[in-house]
Amino acid sequence: MKVPQRLPQALRTRYPRTRTEFAADMRLHQHRGDRFDLTVTDIAPETATVDGYEATTNRATLHLTAGQAELLELPASPE
């Protein structure tokens, strides 16, 4: 995603009502002019906006027990 250097007027002048909205606005202002990975969770075509969360990595590690690996039909070895 590329955040424009100059944000739309509606975003620059809105008053965040909650702590979460304030934090989201601050992150958006910090990313002006930058590109970053975003996992989209909702799209609003009428306002040309999306909701989502910033993807900080594309890798995840999940340690499974032997029972979980067996249930998922995966090898029980660490590899």
Side-chain angles (χ1 to χ4, degrees):
M1 165 168 206
K2 173 135 177 44
V3 179
Q5 182 64 36
R6 183 171 170 86
L7 297 174
Q9 178 78 17
L11 288 176
R12 291 195 317 264
T13 59
R14 78 177 178 174
Y15 181 75
R17 292 178 295 278
T18 66
R19 174 177 253 160
T20 303
E21 287 177 351
F22 179 78
D25 281 359
M26 292 306 296
R27 291 292 291 163
L28 184 61
H29 283 283
Q30 288 175 340
H31 281 300
R32 285 181 308 164
D34 292 339
R35 290 186 176 275
F36 65 95
D37 293 330
L38 179 77
T39 300
V40 176
T41 58
D42 192 23
I43 300 172
E46 63 280 354
T47 58
T49 59
V50 298
D51 284 333
Y53 58 91
E54 183 179 357
T56 56
T57 182
N58 61 353
R59 293 178 180 231
T61 302
L62 178 62
H63 298 284
L64 301 175
T65 65
Q68 291 169 326
E70 182 181 334
L71 182 65
L72 295 170
E73 298 178 4
L74 297 171
S77 65
E79 298 83 32

